[in-house]
Amino acid sequence: MSDSNSYVMPTYSPQPISFARGQGSWLYTSDDTAYLDALTGIAVCGLGHCHPQVTEAIQQQAATLVHTSNLFQIDWQEKAAESLCTAAGIDSVFFANSGAEANEAVLKMARLYGHNKGFKNPKVIVMDNSFHGRTFLTVSATANPKAREGFFTLDDDFIRVPYGDIDAIKKAASEYDEITAILLEPIQGEGGLNVPKAGFSYLDQVRAVCDQHDWLFMLDEIQTGNGRTGKYFAFQHSLVKPDVLSTAKGLANGFPIGACLVSGKARDLFKVGSHGSTYGGTPLGSRVVNTVYDVLSNTDVMHNAAQEGDYIQSSLSQELSQYGVTTRGQGMMIGVVLPSETDCSHLVHNARIHEKLITDVRSNNVIRLLPALNFSREESDQLVEKLTRIVVKTLGSIRC
Ligand SMILES: Cc1ncc(COP(=O)(O)O)c(C=O)c1O
């Protein structure tokens, strides 16, 4: 269906292709043409499409009980919360339905924390190039001015600093009163696959500043969580834990659910009536969270993500460094950086049309790879071959 006759509001400009089914790391059109999926629905289907255990859990629970509301105890929700707390070493969980909603809870907590201290205008430090969602509060926290344009966002409530720059945070601490929290992504996804200069020890540094000033240390692990970087959560590559953490995307492999996890001084901020959601943590969604958690914790899939991620990065470097191409990222969250700031977004279309490869471009010149955590070595090799051909062709013909 072309844009002009779609009834869908044009908030996206989708590629002119529709997939009929998916299996593992492959998507198929209705004529059964296979595409290698290196995007997994934007870091969502971490276990691949239609993972048999996930499919079985959805089918069984859909035939048993889908929804009751949080006016009743929900056994699967209790179990999912325990699983996530065990995975993160954190105390308790609020379930939402998406990443933005999980972050909405995170940011409301920061404001409440300030309110409890008697602050009049609590402020949260956020990062340049960050992305936290499209609700009013989360888009206010997001860096991209295009996403905020026209919405009278709460710009006074956020202090923006360069990502990875600990001195900028210390400077903000000396310049502003009433800071309550810092919110950041351990690796920035939408902002261009940015990794802090200091690597994950940046998180240790930020935690220390938060402790010094009694701020909440809040991590957005919506994209980096659920095994994506080779550990359950990316902060587990560091030595510290956050007070508040949000996750979604890979949490239920495509079933829409998000979660906000709290610990320490954030643990008791929300009380009965502070926050809520009709759908948050349904029996169906929570059972899928448990299933994904079981697969992640009882198989070598996270180890595979770490190993194949390293392999893909080193293979791409071997093939493409001669063209000035570099790679960055961790596990199955990889940025392939082309040597110019010229717009390379056409590469997404060329990769799809000529290589039957599904990928993405961020910040004009960064190819974003988010393959399934259980990618096989053969699939890694195919990805490297396909991407190498398309990058070489792109750089040769257009000098992007
Ligand atoms: C880091 C991060 N935070 C928040 C979100 C928003 O999640 P959702 O689209 O599920 O609302 C995203 C989505 O891309 C994200 O990558």
Side-chain angles (χ1 to χ4, degrees), residues 98-100 103 131-133 185 190 220 222-223 249:
S98 65
N103 276 342
F131 184 80
H132 298 297
E185 300 152 79
E190 305 304 297
D220 178 341
I222 282 156
Q223 195 157 151
K249 289 194 182 279

Side-chain angles (χ1 to χ4, degrees), residues 287-305:
R287 177 155 176 189
V288 184
V289 170
N290 275 293
T291 304
V292 170
Y293 173 81
D294 286 346
V295 175
L296 288 176
S297 37
N298 297 327
T299 66
D300 70 348
V301 70
M302 288 196 284
H303 174 72
N304 188 74

Side-chain angles (χ1 to χ4, degrees), residues 186-384:
I187 296 175
Q188 292 184 326
E190 305 304 297
L193 260 295
N194 303 316
V195 179
K197 248 193 285 83
F200 291 108
S201 64
Y202 174 59
L203 301 183
D204 304 342
Q205 298 167 357
V206 177
R207 169 87 263 181
V209 180
C210 288
D211 288 344
Q212 188 189 346
H213 297 282
D214 195 31
W215 301 338
L216 295 176
F217 177 40
M218 311 195 304
L219 291 180
D220 178 341
E221 292 235 25
I222 282 156
Q223 195 157 151
T224 54
N226 308 291
R228 173 78 23 213
T229 70
K231 300 238 184 228
Y232 200 95
F233 289 111
F235 80 80
Q236 291 164 327
H237 293 284
S238 79
L239 301 172
V240 292
K241 272 189 219 171
D243 300 305
V244 184
L245 177 149
S246 55
T247 191
K249 289 194 182 279
L251 184 57
N253 214 55
F255 193 91
I257 190 164
C260 166
L261 285 67
V262 294
S263 146
K265 53 192 168 197
R267 189 193 159 120
D268 299 319
L269 282 170
F270 278 180
K271 309 209 182 314
V272 173
S274 298
H275 198 52
S277 165
T278 298
Y279 295 115
T282 61
L284 178 52
S286 302
R287 177 155 176 189
V288 184
V289 170
N290 275 293
T291 304
V292 170
Y293 173 81
D294 286 346
V295 175
L296 288 176
S297 37
N298 297 327
T299 66
D300 70 348
V301 70
M302 288 196 284
H303 174 72
N304 188 74
Q307 189 177 282
E308 290 308 302
D310 285 351
Y311 177 75
I312 291 167
Q313 282 205 53
S314 66
S315 305
L316 285 172
S317 297
Q318 214 172 325
E319 299 292 337
L320 293 172
S321 58
Q322 58 187 306
Y323 302 98
V325 174
T326 57
T327 67
R328 61 192 184 214
Q330 186 82 30
M332 287 306 210
M333 190 165 178
I334 300 168
V336 182
V337 187
L338 271 56
S340 144
E341 290 304 319
T342 312
D343 190 347
C344 293
S345 38
H346 54 276
L347 187 144
V348 167
H349 294 275
N350 289 338
R352 189 189 73 245
I353 293 164
H354 302 299
E355 295 291 344
K356 305 283 179 274
L357 172 66
I358 302 301
T359 181
D360 182 38
V361 167
R362 297 276 101 197
S363 304
N364 296 330
N365 70 322
V366 182
I367 304 165
R368 175 166 62 163
L369 303 177
L370 300 163
L373 313 182
N374 50 12
F375 230 47
S376 67
R377 179 53 55 95
E378 201 192 329
E379 286 164 343
S380 297
D381 284 334
Q382 285 193 49
L383 169 60
V384 170

Side-chain angles (χ1 to χ4, degrees), residues 59-267:
Q59 286 174 338
Q60 281 187 5
Q61 195 58 37
T64 308
L65 183 64
V66 172
H67 174 79
T68 54
S69 90
N70 287 297
L71 301 182
F72 305 93
Q73 291 180 357
I74 300 170
D75 293 347
W76 282 113
Q77 186 186 117
E78 289 287 340
K79 200 164 176 317
E82 187 182 344
S83 301
L84 288 181
C85 287
T86 306
I90 271 182
D91 295 340
S92 67
V93 181
F94 172 83
F95 285 103
N97 308 290
S98 65
E101 274 185 70
N103 276 342
E104 190 75 15
V106 166
L107 290 166
K108 280 177 77 177
M109 276 187 194
R111 292 168 82 86
L112 204 52
Y113 188 63
H115 173 266
N116 293 350
K117 287 182 166 193
F119 290 177
K120 293 276 178 288
N121 183 15
K123 293 185 190 305
V124 176
I125 296 179
V126 289
M127 304 293 141
D128 289 348
N129 299 312
S130 63
F131 184 80
H132 298 297
R134 300 288 194 149
T135 64
F136 187 54
L137 197 47
T138 59
V139 84
S140 297
T142 290
N144 186 350
K146 212 172 143 204
R148 286 188 281 122
E149 193 183 313
F151 293 118
F152 299 93
T153 48
L154 302 166
D155 297 343
D156 283 350
D157 297 21
F158 296 97
I159 301 162
R160 296 181 200 283
V161 298
Y163 184 60
D165 183 344
I166 194 69
D167 291 332
I169 294 174
K170 291 178 181 166
K171 188 161 174 275
S174 67
E175 285 175 357
Y176 293 90
D177 294 326
E178 304 202 333
I179 295 171
T180 58
I182 293 182
L183 174 63
L184 65 92
E185 300 152 79
I187 296 175
Q188 292 184 326
E190 305 304 297
L193 260 295
N194 303 316
V195 179
K197 248 193 285 83
F200 291 108
S201 64
Y202 174 59
L203 301 183
D204 304 342
Q205 298 167 357
V206 177
R207 169 87 263 181
V209 180
C210 288
D211 288 344
Q212 188 189 346
H213 297 282
D214 195 31
W215 301 338
L216 295 176
F217 177 40
M218 311 195 304
L219 291 180
D220 178 341
E221 292 235 25
I222 282 156
Q223 195 157 151
T224 54
N226 308 291
R228 173 78 23 213
T229 70
K231 300 238 184 228
Y232 200 95
F233 289 111
F235 80 80
Q236 291 164 327
H237 293 284
S238 79
L239 301 172
V240 292
K241 272 189 219 171
D243 300 305
V244 184
L245 177 149
S246 55
T247 191
K249 289 194 182 279
L251 184 57
N253 214 55
F255 193 91
I257 190 164
C260 166
L261 285 67
V262 294
S263 146
K265 53 192 168 197
R267 189 193 159 120

